[in-house]
Amino acid sequence: MGKYSNLGIYLGNQNETRVQLTFSKIDEILGFSLPPAARNHPAWWTNDKDRTHAMDGWLGQGWKAKVDLEMQQVSFINPENILHAKAKTRAIRSTTTDAHDFQNQVLDVMSGFYSKELVTDQFPGIPTSIAMISNDKEIVGYAQYIAMDNDKTLPTTKFSVIAEHVWLLEKAAALHKFLVFGNDRRVPEEWLKRYGHLVYDVNFFYYSLEDDRLERFVFE
């Protein structure tokens, strides 16, 4: 380990995209005082891979330094963390928005399909999540915005969620019962391939947000 490796280890354990440390805090992390050059000359903090203290202290962990001599502090920025944070935020935001849009769109689509207005509410006798129902309680259903995993399999937990909704709908005293899937057509296909023979009176649909297409699965 190099002389400045403790700073590198400290930064390597940070998940933030930006870490701001005073010179005194850096002294504490290192276990010794920074040299006069670090406190008086910006060049000491140059992000140069040929400088051993820079490689050991921050560059080796993916960080870049920006010193403020007047404030006696250094801002460390990790571009890789920034990219990961943005990607994660985009993924979460995209999934949440798409699922919300899907739920709202399915309400309109299924209202048109059954020629009755559907609203989100709790169906009498179903002691769980909010469903889509008609005012006369003759129609009840759920929207499922689920995707296969990266290895193109559907995890047992997701299978269980589908099975639970099917079971709840089978118990509901309604004339029409349905499940509408979005995001990945393979999900209902795979589930029905395995358990379709157990479904009695729940209709399965797939709705594509992209081309506004509703498809009904026919049980063989």
Side-chain angles (χ1 to χ4, degrees), residues 81-92:
N81 279 3
I82 291 174
L83 291 175
H84 287 171
K86 286 183 177 179
K88 184 176 180 181
T89 300
R90 283 197 301 268
I92 292 174

Side-chain angles (χ1 to χ4, degrees), residues 40-121:
N40 299 297
H41 301 290
W44 195 90
W45 297 99
T46 299
N47 298 299
D48 186 347
K49 293 183 179 180
D50 292 331
R51 294 170 176 254
T52 302
H53 67 271
M55 280 301 297
D56 291 344
W58 61 89
L59 289 177
Q61 296 289 345
W63 295 82
K64 291 188 176 182
K66 184 177 181 180
V67 68
D68 186 333
L69 294 181
E70 183 178 351
M71 297 298 294
Q72 295 284 284
Q73 64 186 18
V74 184
S75 295
F76 294 96
I77 301 170
N78 192 324
E80 186 175 350
N81 279 3
I82 291 174
L83 291 175
H84 287 171
K86 286 183 177 179
K88 184 176 180 181
T89 300
R90 283 197 301 268
I92 292 174
R93 188 176 297 159
S94 175
T95 300
T96 303
T97 302
D98 289 346
H100 180 71
D101 291 345
F102 178 74
Q103 175 81 26
N104 290 336
Q105 189 66 24
V106 164
L107 271 174
D108 292 337
V109 170
M110 298 312 292
S111 293
F113 181 84
Y114 286 111
S115 299
K116 283 188 178 181
E117 182 183 3
L118 301 181
V119 297
T120 53
D121 202 348

Side-chain angles (χ1 to χ4, degrees), residues 132-213:
M132 293 178 285
I133 65 175
S134 59
N135 290 325
D136 57 12
K137 306 299 188 293
E138 288 189 350
I139 305 167
V140 59
Y142 290 98
Q144 299 271 351
Y145 199 77
I146 302 175
M148 304 288 265
D149 274 358
N150 292 333
D151 59 359
K152 298 182 180 180
T153 62
L154 187 61
T156 303
T157 53
K158 293 182 180 179
F159 265 161
S160 298
V161 170
I162 298 171
E164 177 187 1
H165 281 138
V166 170
W167 182 82
L168 289 169
L169 289 171
E170 296 280 13
K171 300 294 183 182
L175 184 62
H176 302 287
K177 310 166 187 180
F178 67 86
L179 279 175
V180 182
F181 293 82
N183 193 27
D184 194 332
R185 191 182 185 280
R186 296 170 300 173
V187 171
E189 282 184 332
E190 187 64 25
W191 194 93
L192 288 171
K193 188 184 301 180
R194 299 188 189 187
Y195 307 110
H197 63 285
L198 301 175
V199 181
Y200 175 60
D201 62 353
V202 177
N203 292 312
F204 276 59
F205 297 87
Y206 178 77
Y207 177 69
S208 171
L209 276 172
E210 289 74 18
D211 53 14
D212 190 27
R213 176 175 55 85

